[in-house]
Amino acid sequence: MNSSLVGNQSGRPFCLLAISYLETINFCLLEVVVIVFLMVLIISGNIIVIFVFHCAPLLNHHTTSYFIQTMAYADLLVGVSCLVPSLSLLHYPIVLSESLVCQIFGYVVSVLKSVSMASLACISIDRYIAITKPLTYNTLVTPWRLRICILIIWLYSCLVFLPSFHWGKPGYHGDVFQWCANSWNTDPYFTLFIVVMLYAPAAFIVCFTYFNIFRICQQHTKEINERRVRFSSQDGEAGEAQPCPDKRYAMVLFRITSVFYILWLPYIIYFLLESSNVYSNRIASFLTTWLAISNSFCNCVIYSLSNSVFQKGLKRLSGAICASCARQRVAKDSSTSRSKRSSNGCHV
């Protein structure tokens, strides 16, 4: 039976944030509020992103849209999976054992966030190829190669965290379960394995590609402005500085990547400290974990605020919804008026 449902010996439920416990409520109030709030934001935000991509064909002209949509689907599944710890904290009965549930939950969320991390690395590689090899880009980056790349991302993420069932905890996604917090320990060798196979390569690729992207864009901007100044001086007109056309879109993707690593940095640092037995704190594990998971909602917010084509697609989607609601209201009003007229006719 799920031990978190029974509670501890004092009769109080297992709560990482014990400061939120109320004697009148038999569940972890603050933890439930945090997780359910994030779950609603993540699910609703990524559903909107997915619908906008289907309603705005111009967004699919960029090859990076394949990876953006992959991230949106992975983040949506993260939000759906948050339903598991929510039910556990609310003491909803779970058929499977707590140890198996928290292991599966930790594995699934780790895989999904690995997909997001690998997708961000692939996006940076895609933009790097687009800027360094513009003439051969269309032959190098094709739709079927992108689909194969996405398939490899999913398979690789599943394989990297597969040893967690026997080797050790892959992260702190399951610490809302008492068994995960007390009995499922991290292993320093498995932590090193994850860092070497996932965290370090992804961070290196992102830093290398974006550094070179902005360096090349700065060089292109300088060359373009020098040419405009030279030709405008010959024509007697003042030339205006023109930015690199690829820099603006690269900045949008760079913001998404930066926020991802900013939100994940506390989690990674705590993961390394706890694995090496330097520092361990349940409240810190909960806060850093769900701060990292909140990135699943931040991706869609940043993209919607930064990409003009996405904003147009969002307006188109909202306009279509409003028009549909208006048609339903008109149809309902007309049917109501007809029923009133018919009822009046019967009483004449």
Side-chain angles (χ1 to χ4, degrees), residues 10 30 49 53 91 119 171 173 201 203 253 259 314 328 343:
S10 63
L30 185 55
V49 170
F53 267 97
H91 295 182
S119 297
H173 309 293
L253 303 174
V259 171
L314 185 60
Q328 291 180 359
S343 62

Side-chain angles (χ1 to χ4, degrees), residues 27-149:
F27 61 85
C28 309
L29 179 61
L30 185 55
E31 289 156 302
V32 171
V33 170
V34 170
I35 295 176
V36 172
F37 179 71
L38 286 178
M39 180 179 66
V40 172
L41 289 181
I42 292 171
I43 292 176
S44 58
N46 285 283
I47 286 178
I48 292 174
V49 170
I50 293 170
F51 272 108
V52 169
F53 267 97
H54 286 287
C55 295
L58 289 176
L59 286 171
N60 293 318
H61 288 179
H62 293 285
T63 54
T64 52
S65 66
Y66 286 83
F67 298 111
I68 294 292
Q69 291 182 72
T70 300
M71 289 175 56
Y73 281 108
D75 291 336
L76 176 62
L77 292 176
V78 169
V80 173
S81 65
C82 290
L83 183 63
V84 176
S86 302
L87 294 176
S88 175
L89 291 171
L90 289 170
H91 295 182
Y92 189 85
I94 300 176
V95 178
L96 301 176
S97 64
E98 184 183 19
S99 59
L100 182 60
V101 171
C102 77
Q103 283 183 318
I104 294 175
F105 176 72
Y107 172 77
V108 169
V109 177
S110 298
V111 168
L112 294 175
K113 299 314 297 178
S114 173
V115 170
S116 296
M117 190 176 294
S119 297
L120 289 172
C122 290
I123 287 173
S124 64
I125 294 174
D126 175 81
R127 290 299 88 198
Y128 179 76
I129 297 174
I131 292 177
T132 56
K133 301 181 182 295
L135 298 179
T136 59
Y137 175 78
N138 291 330
T139 57
L140 292 173
V141 182
T142 58
W144 70 270
R145 287 182 178 177
L146 290 173
R147 295 187 182 97
I148 292 177
C149 183

Side-chain angles (χ1 to χ4, degrees), residues 13 15 61 68 77 106 138 150 155 200 220 227 233 239 278 285 293 322:
C15 297
H61 288 179
I68 294 292
L77 292 176
N138 291 330
I150 291 172
L155 292 176
H220 286 178
R227 292 176 183 176
S233 61
V278 175
S285 71
I293 290 179
C322 292

Side-chain angles (χ1 to χ4, degrees), residues 132-275:
T132 56
K133 301 181 182 295
L135 298 179
T136 59
Y137 175 78
N138 291 330
T139 57
L140 292 173
V141 182
T142 58
W144 70 270
R145 287 182 178 177
L146 290 173
R147 295 187 182 97
I148 292 177
C149 183
I150 291 172
L151 179 61
I152 292 174
I153 288 174
W154 281 95
L155 292 176
Y156 183 79
S157 300
C158 292
L159 292 175
V160 165
F161 288 98
L162 193 60
S164 64
F165 290 97
H166 299 285
W167 204 344
K169 188 189 299 184
Y172 299 92
H173 309 293
D175 270 0
V176 292
F177 301 97
Q178 188 172 2
W179 186 88
C180 283
N182 297 333
S183 304
W184 199 21
N185 299 320
T186 55
D187 185 282
Y189 295 104
F190 185 46
T191 302
L192 180 63
F193 174 78
I194 295 175
V195 170
V196 172
M197 299 299 293
L198 180 63
Y199 293 158
F204 174 78
I205 290 172
V206 167
C207 293
F208 174 81
T209 52
Y210 278 114
F211 173 79
N212 285 278
I213 285 172
F214 289 116
R215 181 179 60 82
I216 294 171
C217 282
Q218 187 176 8
Q219 183 179 356
H220 286 178
T221 302
K222 183 178 179 181
E223 293 176 354
I224 292 172
N225 292 336
E226 288 178 352
R227 292 176 183 176
R228 288 183 63 86
V229 170
R230 184 167 63 251
F231 286 112
S232 61
S233 61
Q234 294 176 358
D235 298 334
E237 298 178 356
E240 297 181 357
Q242 295 292 328
C244 176
D246 295 317
K247 187 175 182 179
R248 184 175 181 180
Y249 191 64
M251 280 298 299
V252 176
L253 303 174
F254 179 73
R255 291 190 194 105
I256 295 176
T257 307
S258 300
V259 171
F260 180 92
Y261 281 98
I262 289 172
L263 294 177
W264 271 79
L265 186 60
Y267 168 84
I268 294 174
I269 292 175
Y270 181 81
F271 186 31
L272 296 175
L273 292 176
E274 204 279 341
S275 300

